[in-house]
Amino acid sequence: MTRAWNFSAGPAALPEAVLRRAQSELLDWNGTGASVMELSHRGKDFMALAASAEARLRRLMAVPEGYTVLFLQGGATQHFAQIPMNLAGADASADYIVTGHWGEKAVREASPYLTARVAATSEDARYLALPARDTWQLDPRAAYLHYTPNETIHGVEFHDVPDAGDVPLVADMSSNILSRPVDVSRFGLIYAGAQKNIGPSGLVVMIIRDDLLAREGRPMAKIFRYAEHAANDSMLNTPNTWGWYLAGLTFEWLEDQGGLEAMGERNARKAATLYAAIDGSGGFYRSPVAVASRSRMNVPFTLHNSALDAAFLTESAAAGLLALKGHKAVGGMRASLYNAVPQYAVDVLVNFMRDFTARHG
Ligand SMILES: *Cc1c(COP(=O)(O)O)cnc(C)c1O
């Protein structure tokens, strides 16, 4: 069996150790004689798994008192709409910092529910740099301030947490959660679709401050209300039990790796390896993203001659390098370097890139 070096943007690589563990437990999980997918979420075995996954996430991220952790469904996209419903009444306004595709989509999905005000945008820079702080026009009365710490398609990342004053900060961390330590106390709400850095798609992890959980929001069905999910330990209806299980295994793996401090160092090194290869290629490869805004998780790059793109993709695939085709919004290539991608995979990629240059330069 050969596993490829997987640079997919999402759904993305999972740690091999997690997959092997899941494989070994697939037919008989925890001595139950059934797979975890075949058991009631209300049974004591699954309830213990659920609690342990939450406890591990709380430890990994050092989640302070006063925050609730939820395991939800719907993908990050559904929560683009559900967050405004929960955090604001009909006449409210919320601020959005738009730094790429996902921020744009968050605004669009929020707009039926409140005034989604673009307080800053880097659209003029084609989202290839973060907007300068002195251009931000924050409303101190906003219901919340939403931003995307890492824009998965454009490859731009905040390397610090913006100061939102007294306005609760809401972060779509889908593509960089758990990639380094963050100070959760700076945030009102953190949410992430699982399929980049946590587990399979179909699961959303949310960390929400209790005063936001208590907000009245709009009239809505129970199933949309975060407080209802919280009151039912994220089991208001049948949760994604398989996703929750795999997330728990990933959290355990992260603890074994030394936690987020260690992951942060590794991720910085992986990204530095790839950017150095791009910047040191004498113009053969180019990163379109402003240096200060470059993402450690998603690295778009172009070839000096786009006529070579097809050859690059064919030859890289033949060398066991998976999913390097870039998103059409940026063009060229994109390598995603999530937690589950080892340094060795990046070394293989960089060697391939040098080799390709030698053959086509
Ligand atoms: C992938 C992604 C999303 C969309 O997630 P879905 O689960 O498809 O809804 C949203 N935001 C960011 C930053 C992403 O990377």
Side-chain angles (χ1 to χ4, degrees):
M1 186 205 65
T2 43
R3 272 183 58 80
W5 305 111
N6 186 356
F7 299 95
S8 173
L14 284 167
E16 193 170 313
V18 166
L19 294 174
R20 287 192 188 283
R21 169 99 178 261
Q23 182 183 42
S24 75
E25 296 177 344
L26 190 62
L27 297 186
D28 178 8
W29 172 69
N30 209 24
T32 56
S35 104
V36 70
M37 279 183 283
E38 302 169 295
L39 294 169
S40 168
H41 56 296
R42 313 258 179 224
K44 74 170 179 14
D45 292 287
F46 188 82
M47 299 278 273
L49 175 161
S52 137
E54 175 182 335
R56 284 186 202 281
L57 179 67
R58 282 182 178 274
R59 276 202 299 276
L60 278 168
M61 292 187 72
V63 177
E65 288 285 296
Y67 285 81
T68 295
V69 174
L70 299 174
F71 289 80
L72 304 169
Q73 302 179 58
T77 307
Q78 184 175 308
H79 296 276
F80 290 162
Q82 230 175 304
I83 286 167
M85 289 164 71
N86 275 270
L87 298 195
D91 299 327
S93 169
D95 279 355
Y96 282 75
I97 308 295
V98 180
T99 53
H101 172 87
W102 295 112
E104 274 188 355
K105 212 163 167 188
V107 168
R108 206 177 317 135
E109 294 299 307
S111 292
Y113 303 105
L114 46 53
T115 303
R117 194 177 152 269
V118 176
T121 175
S122 48
E123 193 179 4
D124 284 355
R126 292 171 38 242
Y127 296 129
L128 297 172
L130 295 171
R133 289 298 158 93
D134 60 11
T135 66
W136 296 23
Q137 309 212 325
L138 301 182
D139 174 2
R141 288 153 306 148
Y144 57 84
L145 171 64
H146 182 283
Y147 83 118
T148 315
N150 183 68
E151 279 284 357
T152 320
I153 289 174
H154 292 88
V156 295
E157 184 174 16
F158 284 81
H159 296 292
D160 57 358
V161 178
D163 182 1
D166 292 331
V167 174
L169 187 59
V170 174
D172 171 9
M173 280 195 198
S174 293
S175 55
N176 69 350
I177 193 166
L178 299 168
S179 67
R180 65 171 145 200
V182 294
D183 179 358
V184 174
S185 73
R186 299 280 308 276
F187 297 86
L189 190 160
I190 290 169
Y191 66 112
Q195 70 270 25
K196 279 66 182 250
N197 235 351
I198 296 177
S201 59
L203 176 75
V204 168
V205 169
M206 181 174 287
I207 302 170
I208 178 170
R209 210 171 60 208
D210 292 342
D211 61 302
L212 299 184
L213 205 52
R215 283 193 182 178
E216 177 63 24
R218 304 169 61 89
M220 69 186 110
K222 256 188 181 184
I223 193 68
F224 295 129
R225 194 174 286 284
Y226 296 140
E228 293 286 349
H229 286 275
N232 290 278
D233 295 327
S234 302
M235 297 195 195
L236 184 56
N237 64 329
T238 316
N240 176 351
T241 54
W242 174 245
W244 203 327
Y245 160 74
L246 282 175
L249 294 188
T250 301
F251 300 155
E252 194 172 338
W253 177 79
L254 286 169
E255 288 184 329
D256 292 344
Q257 301 302 302
L260 301 196
E261 202 77 56
M263 292 317 294
E265 282 163 23
R266 281 192 213 178
N267 287 326
R269 185 164 158 241
K270 277 151 47 186
T273 302
L274 181 50
Y275 284 116
I278 294 166
D279 294 340
S281 68
F284 192 92
Y285 304 104
R286 206 176 69 82
S287 157
V289 178
V291 173
S293 308
R294 285 176 174 179
S295 168
R296 299 155 311 133
M297 294 284 102
N298 310 98
V299 182
F301 61 93
T302 54
L303 274 61
H304 73 98
N305 176 1
S306 59
L308 290 172
D309 285 3
F312 186 93
L313 288 168
T314 314
E315 292 178 28
S316 59
L321 300 159
L322 201 69
L324 287 168
K325 188 171 170 44
H327 191 279
K328 61 183 183 311
V330 182
M333 309 298 148
R334 173 176 49 170
S336 295
L337 311 180
Y338 300 122
N339 282 342
V341 175
Q343 174 71 38
Y344 187 71
V346 183
D347 295 340
V348 172
L349 169 61
V350 161
N351 285 334
F352 169 81
M353 288 166 69
R354 293 209 179 99
D355 198 48
F356 187 85
T357 308
R359 281 181 285 113
H360 296 275

